[in-house]
Amino acid sequence: MHYQSIFKPELFDGKVVIVTGGGSGIGRCAAHELAWLGAHVVIVGRNPDKLAKVKAEIEAEGRLVSSHACDIRDEVAVGTVVEAVLAAQGRIDGLVNNAGGQFFSPLKDISTKGFEAVVRNNLVGGFIFMREVYTRWMEQHGGSIVNITADMWNGLPGVAHSGSARAGMTSLTESAACEWAASGVRVNSVAPGMIASSGFDNYTGEAVSKILDFPKAVPVQRYGTVAEVSAAIVFLLSPAAAFITGSCIRVDGGGPNARSSWKLQVHDKSVPFDGFHLDALPDLLKNDR
């Protein structure tokens, strides 16, 4: 059993791609798919144990992977990781800016420190990694960057700090796409909606009920899969997207298109794409069944 990618196996042969937040969820899935497609994948995250587990999974399938524990909010640490990757691999062809996180809270209860922490994690850290990869390699050699944002188009009540950061990352993506095009660097984003992943199990209280109620609020009437997000990432990194920069692919089941003037129909017509052979339902959804 191996990753069931829709892309050809040798698509990224000889390429080096960094995936931040590569120890779980979307990052873990994207790392597996890119490695299966021939890339040397560099997974980055704060938890060495999670990175070691994913690294072992990929190596067990005979694919190329290395890992670096790093807090993306620390610009010195990020610079060190980028230099280490260049020293070991000699190139960086792609960056998947996936690391991030947030906590559920009404806006009035978020402290300034808490707001700043989420913005630094979901926006500033991504900027730091983009800048360091660009100035240390891509400015002279080209490359592709994919930033992972979120379905924040009509606001994100309950996680407004994250919505603010993700909106900022969308604008940052568009700005970098223009400024860095002359260096042969494409910069795009992927905006996932509610994706069934291990991240679900980090939430408690009111956030749990909101997650469980989600499918009823979107036209396709289900959660997304990590493989569906990874496929969008891989496409944007690939040569097929050579004329695409400054764009965003929404992977959200049409959530932002739902309107109070239209009653959504209950159905099971949307068939998930489950290409990731090691994926499993988060405990939250297992317990709900």
Side-chain angles (χ1 to χ4, degrees):
M1 190 68 174
H2 59 76
Y3 202 105
Q4 302 297 309
S5 178
I6 66 166
F7 300 97
K8 62 182 183 180
E10 69 275 14
L11 182 60
F12 290 97
D13 279 2
K15 304 297 185 182
V16 177
V17 182
I18 298 175
V19 179
T20 70
S24 62
I26 293 169
R28 172 187 176 226
C29 179
H32 268 273
E33 183 166 19
L34 288 163
W36 182 255
L37 297 174
H40 180 110
V41 178
V42 181
I43 51 175
V44 175
R46 282 186 286 179
N47 188 319
D49 293 336
K50 287 184 177 180
L51 294 176
K53 181 176 181 293
V54 176
K55 184 172 182 287
E57 291 172 352
I58 294 173
E59 287 177 334
E61 296 178 353
R63 303 295 161 167
L64 302 174
V65 60
S66 54
S67 65
H68 296 268
C70 171
D71 185 337
I72 65 169
R73 299 168 296 183
D74 182 340
E75 61 184 353
V76 174
V78 171
T80 299
V81 167
V82 172
E83 287 299 329
V85 173
L86 290 173
Q89 308 304 328
R91 60 191 299 148
I92 298 173
D93 300 282
L95 167 65
V96 181
N97 241 334
N98 169 72
Q102 57 274 319
F103 56 89
F104 182 83
S105 175
L107 188 57
K108 67 182 180 66
D109 296 331
I110 301 175
S111 68
T112 302
K113 183 178 180 180
F115 191 93
E116 289 177 340
V118 170
V119 171
R120 187 159 185 84
N121 202 24
N122 292 347
L123 175 58
V124 179
F127 158 70
I128 292 171
F129 232 111
M130 288 170 63
R131 183 194 65 201
E132 295 304 302
V133 166
Y134 178 75
T135 57
R136 295 171 189 264
W137 180 258
M138 290 188 180
E139 185 174 13
Q140 298 300 320
H141 303 90
S144 179
I145 297 171
V146 178
N147 295 320
I148 308 305
T149 59
D151 169 15
M152 47 68 205
W153 309 108
N154 299 309
L156 271 181
V159 281
H161 42 12
S162 181
S164 301
R166 309 296 189 170
M169 182 56 85
T170 299
S171 180
L172 178 62
T173 297
E174 293 170 341
S175 298
C178 184
E179 291 193 23
W180 295 353
S183 294
V185 177
R186 296 183 300 103
V187 189
N188 293 290
S189 65
V190 172
M194 195 69 79
I195 306 300
S197 75
S198 56
F200 278 11
D201 296 327
N202 295 329
Y203 292 97
T204 58
E206 186 180 353
V208 170
S209 62
K210 290 183 179 298
I211 291 172
L212 295 178
D213 286 342
F214 172 81
K216 294 181 290 187
V218 296
V220 302
Q221 296 279 289
R222 66 171 175 86
Y223 303 102
T225 70
V226 289
E228 289 167 329
V229 181
S230 183
I233 294 169
V234 171
F235 166 68
L236 288 174
L237 290 173
S238 78
F243 199 53
I244 301 176
T245 194
S247 293
C248 173
I249 295 181
R250 287 172 31 199
V251 187
D252 56 23
N257 306 112
R259 291 293 181 267
S260 59
S261 59
W262 181 263
K263 181 176 175 57
L264 294 178
Q265 300 177 43
V266 177
H267 68 87
D268 59 358
K269 301 297 185 184
S270 179
V271 179
F273 171 61
D274 288 317
F276 186 19
H277 58 305
L278 298 181
D279 193 28
L281 277 177
D283 292 339
L284 175 63
L285 299 186
K286 291 178 185 176
N287 295 336
D288 187 52
R289 293 190 168 184

